[in-house]
Amino acid sequence: DEELAWGEFGNKAFQNYEPGSCFKIMSEVISDKHGVHSLTDEGEWEFDGTSIVNWDHDTNFSYPMERSLSSAFINSSNIYFAKAFDQIGADAVLSDLDSIFHFVTDIECDFGALENNIEIYCQDDLRRTAFGQSYVLTSPLYLAALGREAVFGHMVRPFVLQNTVATGDPLKQLGNAPKGNDVIASIPKECRQNLLDGMQVIGSNLGVYVPESYTLYAKTGTAETWLGDFLYITGCVKNNSDDGAGTYFGNYENYGENGSYIIVMMVQNPGEHGYKFASESAPLYQGLINTIVGS
């Protein structure tokens, strides 16, 4: 039933919407790769009869400012990354999105394909793509794979099955080889630490508690969609002893002893909760952490 699958009662985890500033995880790496480490940020950038604004353009009296890449990522500057993509160019941006993040080409998973959307028809589309708007669409499931790559450096094929079993006999394994946790994309080594440092600062600024043996890495995002504003927090509650090399099939009861958790939260009706920006939804995110990791 299409209404059930994609309508009010559908599974939003695999549905595509604008990701907002969570897309800047990719924009930060691409900017770093192309050496865009400092730009002028006016808070409001007007061009061709239109404009791009930062979320704090009418409250931050420090504009205009010379902003670093780290500052742009931590403070989620739309203008910085719009200018960066404008400078880098559509061809290079699309190439990097696919080769580094597997964003353009579908990702074949055991349950089906993750299909993102990106269309660039003009320079304005390219600029707005940099902060997850325009014709950019992705799902919370992809953001989970992206969050894993951001923290550990590699995107593994997500959401795979350990084994398949016979319909009539769940103890009988069919022997169909799962696709496995193979690496399908990687962030260049020289571009990883700046991103990781920024996500750690953002995680700390959320005011969210994680157990002593964990560290929270996160990126927030606020997206304007055809269904209203969506708020995102894409985060990794990383076990400090986890190097990302393990495969955690089997009994998940003890998963947290050596594994980490990717937690993506999307709030589709933020106004009804009194939230305007994603950072304000941190108490909801805290509840997810408490449920999954334990308080």
Side-chain angles (χ1 to χ4, degrees):
D1 187 320
E2 188 67 16
E3 180 62 27
L4 290 175
W6 296 102
E8 182 177 357
F9 304 104
N11 183 352
K12 308 303 185 194
F14 63 83
Q15 295 180 20
N16 280 2
Y17 300 103
E18 293 90 338
S21 290
C22 287
F23 191 92
K24 290 173 185 170
I25 293 173
M26 295 180 281
S27 302
E28 195 278 346
V29 171
I30 293 172
S31 299
D32 195 4
K33 179 190 172 190
H34 289 273
V36 184
H37 296 136
S38 179
L39 288 171
T40 302
D41 187 345
E42 302 91 342
E44 184 172 0
W45 184 28
E46 296 185 4
F47 54 87
D48 301 332
T50 185
S51 65
I52 290 173
V53 300
N54 289 342
W55 63 275
D56 61 349
H57 71 100
D58 55 354
T59 59
N60 188 340
F61 300 105
S62 299
Y63 294 119
M65 67 176 72
E66 192 68 16
R67 195 187 284 279
S68 68
L69 175 58
S70 294
S71 170
F73 183 71
I74 292 169
N75 294 285
S76 206
S77 168
N78 290 341
I79 291 175
Y80 185 100
F81 291 108
K83 285 185 172 183
F85 272 28
D86 191 62
Q87 177 178 317
I88 295 166
D91 290 344
V93 164
L94 289 171
S95 176
D96 288 344
L97 283 173
D98 209 30
S99 63
I100 299 176
F101 298 106
H102 216 302
F103 189 83
V104 181
T105 305
D106 295 350
I107 300 176
E108 297 296 335
C109 307
D110 282 336
F111 66 83
L114 287 181
E115 302 174 352
N116 299 311
N117 184 80
I118 181 168
E119 302 170 46
I120 299 175
Y121 299 108
C122 63
Q123 206 66 12
D124 187 48
D125 292 341
L126 175 62
R127 294 163 182 152
R128 296 180 191 277
T129 291
F131 50 93
Q133 294 286 168
S134 192
Y135 297 101
V136 175
L137 301 173
T138 191
S139 66
L141 287 182
Y142 176 82
L143 291 178
L146 176 64
R148 196 270 181 205
E149 182 181 11
V151 172
F152 294 105
H154 303 287
M155 180 181 288
V156 297
R157 191 178 305 280
F159 322 116
V160 297
L161 305 175
Q162 180 179 5
N163 288 295
T164 56
V165 298
T167 303
D169 183 3
L171 298 179
K172 179 182 178 182
Q173 296 182 6
L174 297 179
N176 300 33
K179 291 182 172 63
N181 285 3
D182 55 316
V183 173
I184 60 174
S186 298
I187 297 174
K189 289 183 179 180
E190 65 274 14
C191 298
R192 295 178 188 176
Q193 193 60 51
N194 195 57
L195 174 66
L196 199 61
D197 291 344
M199 291 184 70
Q200 185 173 3
V201 172
I202 294 170
S204 297
N205 289 345
L206 284 175
V208 171
Y209 168 82
V210 296
E212 185 177 353
S213 58
Y214 294 87
T215 301
L216 175 62
Y217 297 87
K219 182 68 185 82
T220 58
T222 302
E224 297 176 357
T225 81
W226 66 93
L227 294 176
D229 288 351
F230 286 4
L231 308 183
Y232 294 88
I233 298 179
T234 296
C236 175
V237 181
K238 181 182 180 297
N239 188 311
N240 294 332
S241 63
D242 185 7
D243 62 2
T247 299
Y248 304 109
F249 287 135
N251 187 340
Y252 281 79
E253 289 183 1
N254 298 319
Y255 182 85
E257 292 184 4
N258 57 4
S260 305
Y261 300 88
I262 308 298
I263 305 175
V264 177
M265 184 179 76
M266 178 175 68
V267 182
Q268 292 193 348
N269 53 340
E272 295 185 20
H273 298 279
Y275 304 142
K276 184 177 181 181
F277 299 114
S279 58
E280 297 172 352
S281 66
L284 291 179
Y285 199 74
Q286 179 72 75
L288 293 176
I289 293 175
N290 292 348
T291 300
I292 295 170
V293 183
S295 58

